[in-house]
Structures are given as C-alpha cells and as structure tokens.
C-alpha cells in the first residue's frame, strides 16, 4: 500500500536548488507524481551496522572540505577512461559528513532485507535516532544541520560514463543524483520529529544488488574528513587482505581534493601519525625507500595491536 508525501504538522522543504538543474522547491501540499506512489520504508531497526555503496567509496563523489564547495569537479581515470563530473547546487556539493545519511539508510535497508521485510527507496527516519547513531549532538544546531544535509544531497548532480552494472549498456554522460526528494516534519512545538528521503534509483539498486560494504561503527566518530575518506578507500581496496599499497599521487586523485600534492602529503602524514583510521595501520614510504614511487602502505589491524605498538613507541 502506498502513502503520500508527509503533510502532518509543518513540512520544511529542503530543496535549495537555485542555479541547479533540479526542479524548483515544492510546498507541503504538492503532489509528487513519482515519489508519492512509493511505499514508505520506516528505518526503525536498532543497532544496525553502517553500510556504503561501493561506487562512492571508489570515486571522489563527496567534498572533503568543510567550506561550501560550489565549483564543478571532474575526476578522470587515465587507465580505464572512466570519468565523473560532480555538479553542485547553490547550496554546495554534498560533503563526506552528509554521506552519513546515506550510510545510515543503506544499513537500515540492508538489514530489513536480511530479515525479510519489504523495503523501498522512500525512507522515513526519526531525527533523534539518526543523530544518536551517527554520533552527532541533539541540540538545535544538530537538528537544523539535517535540513542543510538534505539540501546538499538533493542538489548535487553527477554526469559519468562509469558502468558498475555487469552487462549494462549504459550510455556515456548519464546524469543522476543522490536523493530525489527530501522533507522534514516538525512537531507542534516546531522541533524536527522525522524526515523522509527518496534515495535515487542508482543508489537504491546498488544496495538491493548487494554492491555495498559494512563500515566499522567507529567511522561515525571520525570528525576529520581525511580520516573518513582514507578509511573508506582502505575498506574498499584493502578489505580483508593483510596488506595493500597505493601510490600517493593516485591516492591524491582518489580523494578529489583541490589542494596541491605537497599539502595533501602533509595531511596524510598527520593521519599516519595519529593512526586514527579504524581497522588499519598506515605507513608512508618515500620513492627512495620503495625504489619506485612514493606510497601509502596499509596493513589490516582489526585488533589495533599495530596502532597500539606505535603509541607505546614500538613501531613495527
């Protein structure tokens, strides 16, 4: 049975899409021809493991900078010919902290499917549960930030020729977004009670087809965007291997940052010094040391013993 878009209490539309290619903002009484026919999936499962789609772990979709990024960004892989363009709205490009909403939703959808429950890409999320699970505060500022997140997720658009579906004949230049719709519903006192999102078909299909990986729950406690991005790259590429390495310049391109390589190197060395990335131990290797190129070496460290050895002054 389908339900309509939220209309109880005060609905705040969060589609700040000036100068973007998305449709104009809608009022609480607007009938949504596509999304209002979707069944509503209520994200109400307790203690769900966070999950991410593999594509957004591989490619630099989300902004690393905490400052609003309104510039178009293009990533190209010279070896494969794959390219990706990120087109922000006036609200700026979706950030890696905004991605928490998707990670939370994907975990809920995957767990519900495992339990045999019907799922939908139209998701209802209790604001308090989301803030607590993602280790945010529960003050007014944190509730307001949900609206800003929805606006950036809704407004960020992509063009790409990347094909992640085996057998698919995807045409070059496909355009898609992260969510198709977002709305927040407040209670009679004006406090945000819950919000709804309609996840894009591309992302929902990735979850439905199990093109996802589970994150360590400590991920939500990582405040540094560099820690977060490095974790998901390690999770994607090192996975359960005992060791993996990547050239620093290639890693720089995977981050999608606009700072020069020398600044990126300094920040990566800071992360290595802290050893703040859960499940992995990180080492820097210069071109002279490796005999080839400058590298980041990643070692699986589930029990934290390698990181502990550094803190105790006994580096491996």
């Amino acid at each position: 049975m389908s339900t309509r878009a939220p209309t109880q209490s005060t609905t705040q539309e969060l589609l700040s899409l000036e100068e973007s290619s998305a449709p104009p903002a809608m009022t609480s009484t607007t009938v949504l021809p596509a999304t209002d026919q979707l069944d509503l999936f209520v994200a109400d499962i307790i203690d769900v493991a966070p999950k991410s789609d593999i594509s957004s772990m591989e490619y630099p979709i989300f902004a690393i900078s905490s400052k609003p990024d309104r510039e178009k960004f293009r990533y190209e892989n010279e070896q494969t010919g794959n390219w990706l363009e990120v087109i922000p709205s006036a609200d700026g490009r979706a950030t890696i902290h905004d991605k928490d909403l998707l990670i939370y939703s994907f975990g809920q959808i995957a767990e519900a499917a495992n339990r045999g429950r019907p799922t939908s890409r139209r998701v209802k999320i209790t604001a308090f549960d989301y803030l607590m699970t993602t280790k945010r505060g529960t003050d007014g500022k944190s509730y307001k930030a949900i609206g800003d997140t929805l606006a950036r997720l809704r407004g960020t658009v992509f063009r790409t020729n990347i094909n992640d579906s085996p057998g698919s004949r995807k045409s070059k230049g496909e355009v898609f977004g992260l969510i198709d719709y977002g709305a927040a519903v407040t209670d009679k006192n004006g406090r945000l009670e819950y919000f709804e999102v309609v996840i894009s078909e591309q992302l929902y299909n990735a979850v439905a087809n199990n093109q996802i990986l589970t994150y360590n729950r400590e991920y939500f406690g990582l405040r540094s965007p560099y820690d977060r991005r490095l974790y998901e790259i390690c999770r994607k590429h090192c996975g359960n291997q005992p060791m993996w390495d990547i050239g620093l310049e290639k890693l720089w391109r995977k981050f999608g940052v606009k700072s020069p390589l020398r600044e990126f190197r300094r920040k990566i060395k800071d992360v290595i010094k802290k050893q703040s990335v859960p499940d992995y131990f990180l080492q820097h290797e210069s071109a002279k040391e490796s005999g080839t190129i400058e590298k980041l070496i990643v070692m699986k460290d589930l029990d934290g013993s390698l990181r502990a050895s550094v803190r105790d002054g006994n580096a491996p």
Side-chain angles (χ1 to χ4, degrees):
M1 179 177 67
S2 64
T3 54
R4 295 173 62 86
T7 56
Q8 70 180 66
S9 189
T10 303
T11 300
Q12 302 171 357
E13 282 305 333
L14 303 164
L15 307 180
S16 303
L17 302 176
E18 304 164 15
E19 304 173 5
S20 81
S21 59
M26 295 171 286
T27 67
S28 61
T29 57
T30 302
V31 176
L32 306 177
T35 61
D36 69 342
Q37 299 304 312
L38 293 171
D39 289 338
L40 182 65
F41 168 70
V42 180
D44 58 1
I45 305 176
I46 305 300
D47 196 29
V48 170
K51 297 181 185 292
S52 174
D53 67 295
I54 293 173
S55 289
S56 67
M57 298 169 72
E58 170 70 18
Y59 302 104
I61 287 177
F62 295 91
I64 301 298
S65 174
S66 58
K67 297 179 181 178
D69 185 349
R70 300 182 179 91
E71 295 183 6
K72 185 185 296 186
F73 171 79
R74 183 178 176 93
Y75 165 83
E76 294 188 42
N77 187 318
E78 295 178 355
Q79 293 180 328
T80 64
N82 287 343
W83 56 266
L84 171 78
E85 282 187 351
V86 185
I87 308 166
S89 72
D91 292 292
R93 179 178 169 189
T95 72
I96 199 161
H97 283 94
D98 294 332
K99 186 182 178 181
D100 285 0
L101 191 150
L102 298 175
I103 294 172
Y104 179 88
S105 300
F106 295 166
Q108 288 279 335
I109 292 170
E111 181 60 27
N114 288 339
R115 298 185 184 189
R117 285 176 49 182
T119 64
S120 168
R121 62 190 185 95
R122 182 177 169 212
V123 185
K124 176 183 176 181
I125 300 170
T126 302
F128 180 80
D129 291 347
Y130 167 73
L131 292 174
M132 292 297 292
T133 299
T134 57
K135 299 185 178 181
R136 287 163 161 77
T138 54
D139 55 7
K141 182 179 179 182
S142 299
Y143 277 90
K144 179 183 180 299
I146 292 175
D148 298 334
T149 287
L150 287 174
R152 286 189 293 267
L153 289 174
R154 177 64 180 89
T156 303
V157 177
F158 306 91
R159 280 203 295 256
T160 184
N161 71 338
I162 296 169
N163 179 7
D164 290 315
S165 302
S168 172
R169 295 185 178 181
K170 183 184 295 183
S171 60
K172 290 187 177 181
E174 182 186 23
V175 179
F176 65 95
L178 296 167
I179 65 173
D180 294 341
Y181 173 75
V185 177
T186 58
D187 61 22
K188 61 183 180 181
N189 297 317
R191 186 175 179 83
L192 178 59
E193 182 177 352
Y194 69 87
F195 56 98
E196 288 188 20
V197 295
V198 176
I199 298 168
S200 72
E201 287 190 42
Q202 287 82 357
L203 292 182
Y204 182 75
N205 288 339
V207 180
N209 293 322
N210 203 33
Q211 295 174 2
I212 51 177
L213 290 174
T214 301
Y215 277 21
N216 188 313
R217 285 180 170 83
E218 292 180 27
Y219 174 85
F220 287 134
L222 300 176
R223 303 272 45 100
S224 165
Y226 273 76
D227 289 351
R228 286 174 163 239
R229 181 63 181 142
L230 195 51
Y231 170 80
E232 63 181 13
I233 289 175
C234 291
R235 178 69 182 93
K236 164 67 170 61
H237 291 282
C238 185
N240 293 319
Q241 300 178 81
M243 184 179 293
W244 172 74
D245 65 69
I246 182 172
L248 196 73
E249 188 171 345
K250 184 176 181 179
L251 182 66
W252 174 52
R253 291 195 297 270
K254 278 186 175 293
F255 261 68
V257 292
K258 299 176 182 178
S259 56
L261 180 59
R262 63 178 181 277
E263 176 65 13
F264 177 75
R265 178 186 295 111
R266 183 187 68 79
K267 291 191 174 183
I268 291 298
K269 286 184 175 181
D270 286 344
V271 175
I272 293 173
K273 184 177 181 180
K274 294 185 300 179
Q275 292 295 339
S276 50
V277 177
D279 296 339
Y280 301 98
F281 180 79
L282 311 173
Q283 283 186 330
H284 173 266
E285 191 171 77
S286 68
K288 183 177 180 181
E289 291 170 325
S290 72
T292 52
I293 59 173
E294 185 177 15
K295 295 179 180 180
L296 176 74
I297 299 175
V298 180
M299 286 174 268
K300 192 74 171 178
D301 187 30
L302 288 178
D303 63 2
S305 59
L306 293 178
R307 282 166 287 162
S309 68
V310 170
R311 289 193 293 270
D312 295 339
N314 300 312

